[in-house]
Amino acid sequence: MSGIPTGAGGRIPVSVLTGFLGSGKTTVLNHLVRSPGMARALVIINEFGAVGLDHDMVARSNEDLMVEMMGGCLCCTIRGDLLRTLRDAPWRFARDGRCWFDRVVIETTGLADPAPILHTLMTDPHLETLYRLDAVIATVDAATGMATFDTQPEAVKQAAVADRLLLTKTDLVDEAGQGAIRGRLAALNPAAPVITVTDGAVDPSLLFDVGLWDPASKSDDVRRWLAEEAHHAEHHHHHHHDVNRHDDGIRATCLTFDTPLDPLAFERWLGLLTMFRGADVLRVKGIVNLSGHDVPVIVHGVQHVFHPPVELERWPSEDRRTRMVFITRRIDPEELRGTLALMTMGLSDVQFEGLVERVAADMPG
């Protein structure tokens, strides 16, 4: 096939957009894909859990712009699904027999350890002929970043390997708080510029074509993580994950509603959940069909904080169901089911996708 770049100078640049749950990756991506410079970019989104949402939340100028990968944590699928997607992309998404894209952006799940991604992009012999790693871009939540770094090793790795750090939600933090998170980032990754991002808006020229990613310039910790990943690759062992589990404490619960939700009942349900278990609700995002609304409502939440709901201009597809993903720590799905049953007794068709459970069957009366 013609149109495939060859040689070191013609390889397709790959940017990895990472960052912990709720730090604003999808919002940033939404702005980037609208910019003229992204017209020839292939976007690959990895979802954590059994129900995909990000592909519906990201604006797109054409149907070929985006590839969605589901099935679990990227640390396990990197040598499978993602590798095959990148390997086959120039042919699979060809237009008139030619590779149409000249840039790739990979948005990782918020729970992804970035080391396997980087190691694969740098060492796989086939990918090396097609792509070059341009930069790692990490979003950091100014409001929750300090606590996240204290408890989530993946978040530390994401920030440490980045070439660009995007500091989001600074409007929620005072000067002292911003100074603290900036100081921590400076200690963690002194070479990476910290760029303040408001509502996801950022100049693409600050993020792309910033040069080949060089692990030798990063901290000793980053080199250690990459070395560990190389060791694991050489001593590969097969293992299986529940696609809704990341580790023993964190899991994704996917809820689907065929019936439009009562707005007040839905608000009360989320209020109770965050009131009693907010610290363990790492991330909530969903496309919600509310009674009385002709268009879907997007909800985003991180722990106790929920962003104001935003109405889309139209439904992104013919699917009109409410679809929500809860990524939680030490919350049994039965707890979600209990509060759901309490606040939405009128619903008759509620599913826990991936869990093969139906709440309606257990409702009294």
Side-chain angles (χ1 to χ4, degrees):
M1 170 180 291
S2 61
I4 303 301
T6 58
R11 291 182 298 163
I12 299 171
V14 178
S15 299
V16 178
L17 177 60
T18 189
F20 200 69
L21 300 165
S23 60
K25 295 186 302 301
T26 301
T27 305
V28 168
L29 188 58
N30 231 328
H31 281 266
L32 289 175
V33 298
R34 298 173 189 270
S35 65
M38 289 283 285
R40 289 175 55 83
L42 180 72
V43 177
I44 299 174
I45 295 177
N46 177 245
E47 295 269 26
F48 175 61
V51 174
L53 292 173
D54 280 352
H55 67 296
D56 279 342
M57 292 183 176
V58 177
R60 43 187 149 177
S61 58
N62 60 70
E63 290 303 314
D64 295 326
L65 175 70
M66 204 163 302
V67 179
E68 178 195 11
M69 294 193 326
M70 291 162 50
C73 52
L74 198 52
C75 60
C76 300
T77 62
I78 182 62
R79 294 187 186 90
D81 293 345
L82 181 59
L83 191 151
R84 285 189 293 270
T85 297
L86 288 172
R87 182 191 60 200
D88 298 340
W91 293 269
R92 179 181 173 193
F93 305 108
R95 295 175 182 171
D96 299 323
R98 297 182 63 86
C99 177
W100 66 267
F101 59 89
D102 55 20
R103 179 178 305 283
V104 175
V105 178
I106 302 172
E107 182 196 6
T108 76
T109 172
L111 292 168
D113 179 344
I117 306 170
L118 305 181
H119 180 263
T120 299
L121 287 170
M122 290 186 294
T123 61
D124 182 82
H126 187 81
L127 296 185
E128 191 176 30
T129 65
L130 295 174
Y131 304 98
R132 63 175 176 85
L133 181 58
D134 180 37
V136 179
I137 305 158
T139 52
V140 178
D141 187 327
T144 63
M146 295 291 279
T148 299
F149 287 151
D150 287 340
T151 58
Q152 303 294 340
E154 294 92 343
V156 176
K157 294 183 179 182
Q158 291 162 356
V161 302
D163 296 278
R164 298 290 186 268
L165 292 165
L166 305 184
L167 191 61
T168 65
K169 306 181 188 179
T170 54
D171 57 314
L172 303 179
V173 183
D174 59 20
E175 290 187 9
Q178 289 192 42
I181 188 67
R182 286 179 179 275
R184 189 153 186 178
L185 290 174
L188 185 63
N189 189 346
V194 178
I195 302 168
T196 299
V197 175
T198 302
D199 296 327
V202 59
D203 184 351
S205 67
L206 300 176
L207 308 181
F208 300 124
D209 298 320
V210 296
L212 291 172
W213 193 84
D214 180 9
S217 68
K218 300 300 184 285
S219 69
D220 291 340
D221 279 343
V222 174
R223 288 194 292 271
R224 174 173 54 81
W225 296 330
L226 294 177
E228 289 174 352
E229 187 56 35
H231 175 77
H232 293 321
E234 293 170 2
H235 301 84
H236 182 62
H237 59 280
H238 296 283
H239 60 288
H240 301 281
H241 275 328
D242 176 346
V243 299
N244 293 310
R245 295 295 292 268
H246 180 70
D247 60 22
D248 290 338
I250 297 174
R251 71 175 299 136
T253 300
C254 308
L255 306 182
T256 300
F257 301 76
D258 291 331
T259 305
L261 304 181
D262 176 80
L264 182 58
F266 178 67
E267 182 179 0
R268 288 177 175 173
W269 176 47
L270 288 180
L272 283 174
L273 179 64
T274 55
M275 179 185 300
F276 291 106
R277 298 301 305 271
D280 294 320
V281 179
L282 301 181
R283 187 77 169 95
V284 178
K285 60 181 177 181
I287 297 177
V288 182
N289 187 348
L290 294 177
S291 300
H293 292 251
D294 294 329
V295 294
V297 175
I298 299 296
V299 295
H300 288 282
V302 179
Q303 296 183 324
H304 297 281
V305 179
F306 269 79
H307 298 279
V310 176
E311 285 190 344
L312 293 181
E313 294 181 0
R314 61 185 181 276
W315 283 93
S317 68
E318 294 302 314
D319 193 343
R320 298 294 191 267
R321 297 173 302 161
T322 290
R323 287 158 288 158
M324 291 186 294
V325 174
F326 292 77
I327 298 179
T328 58
R329 182 196 297 112
R330 295 185 297 274
I331 294 182
D332 192 283
E334 292 296 326
E335 296 184 56
L336 293 175
R337 181 166 70 172
T339 56
L340 171 65
L342 176 65
M343 303 307 298
T344 57
M345 297 292 285
L347 291 175
S348 59
D349 193 11
V350 179
Q351 301 178 36
F352 278 69
E353 291 199 14
L355 302 176
V356 198
E357 293 183 287
R358 300 185 66 82
V359 175
D362 294 337
M363 288 185 177

